[in-house]
Amino acid sequence: NNDEWNLAYIIKDNETELIPGTLRTLFEDDYYAFPRPPFEIMVRHKSSGRELLLINLHLKCCGGADNESRRRSASQHLKEYLDQQRPGDAVVMLGDFNDEITSASASENPFLNFIQDPTDYTFADMTIARGSQLWWSYPSWPSHIDHILVTNELTASIDTTLVIKVSPCYPEYEEVLSDHRPVGIRINP
């Protein structure tokens, strides 16, 4: 019953450490935009000393004008938070955005506010979103609705972004874990 699951992180602790006191949920009082509040932590890459702010999302699902409006509201709150509270931080915001990012129409793309600010933000998976549906994160629809957004402090450090097809190695993945494929990123320290 994944209705009872919360957002989480798995950290390879021989390479990365959680910076104490940085674990928190955001926008807990805004159920309209965030039925599952974003989960934020700051980590430090041990060998390089580079610090990253990670924000894990699972935004409102499904079609319809109200759900689209809820994701747009979430996007506006998140951008305002990053612009005002986290300028200069190297941020990776990732997770189930529950919407596509390729449309240039404001009525169809709730994340256009980030896309229209390319100086400060980059969807690291935009090439995947615009590419073949064979590599999209949500194959049963099919669509690509799981994304990785990075701030300008990290754009030049993006090495690789990919969707992992887990089922060849773990045939029960979709039934046991998720109907979404993992989206991964490698950032050069």
Side-chain angles (χ1 to χ4, degrees):
N1 179 7
N2 68 11
D3 290 337
E4 298 174 12
W5 292 6
N6 292 308
L7 300 172
Y9 293 93
I10 298 173
I11 296 175
K12 194 172 184 179
D13 61 5
N14 65 334
E15 292 183 15
T16 308
E17 61 186 343
L18 176 66
I19 297 175
T22 64
L23 183 148
R24 68 185 191 135
T25 53
L26 304 173
F27 308 106
E28 289 179 287
D29 297 330
D30 188 351
Y31 182 80
Y32 177 79
F34 301 101
R36 293 164 288 259
F39 183 26
E40 174 184 275
I41 64 173
M42 189 166 287
V43 296
R44 181 180 301 112
H45 183 250
K46 289 182 177 181
S47 64
S48 70
R50 184 171 215 174
E51 294 181 356
L52 299 175
L53 182 72
L54 305 176
I55 301 175
N56 191 346
L57 299 177
H58 188 177
L59 298 181
K60 181 66 179 98
C61 76
C62 306
D66 184 56
N67 293 327
E68 187 87 15
S69 176
R70 293 175 77 173
R71 288 189 292 275
R72 184 169 290 102
S73 178
S75 182
Q76 291 165 349
H77 288 312
L78 288 162
K79 187 168 185 313
E80 182 177 293
Y81 171 72
L82 294 174
D83 287 347
Q84 294 178 7
Q85 303 295 317
R86 296 300 190 172
D89 285 339
V91 179
V92 178
M93 188 163 62
L94 70 166
D96 186 352
F97 284 59
N98 260 316
D99 217 316
E100 297 177 352
I101 57 174
T102 55
S103 176
S105 166
S107 65
E108 294 177 11
N109 188 341
F111 310 110
L112 209 54
N113 58 335
F114 287 107
I115 294 166
Q116 290 177 335
D117 187 357
T119 302
D120 294 324
Y121 300 98
T122 300
F123 274 100
D125 61 303
M126 185 61 84
T127 300
I128 296 166
R130 291 181 175 148
S132 170
Q133 73 180 34
L134 294 172
W135 292 101
W136 288 349
S137 64
Y138 193 47
S140 61
W141 185 250
S143 61
H144 184 68
I145 58 175
D146 305 278
H147 306 292
I148 300 175
L149 180 78
V150 299
T151 56
N152 62 337
E153 293 81 7
L154 295 171
T155 303
S157 300
I158 297 171
D159 177 280
T160 307
T161 306
L162 58 97
V163 173
I164 302 166
K165 291 184 178 184
V166 180
S167 56
C169 299
Y170 185 32
E172 296 85 26
Y173 175 83
E174 188 173 325
E175 291 80 32
V176 175
L177 283 176
S178 178
D179 54 352
H180 295 246
R181 294 173 175 160
V183 181
I185 188 170
R186 177 184 166 100
I187 298 172
N188 293 322

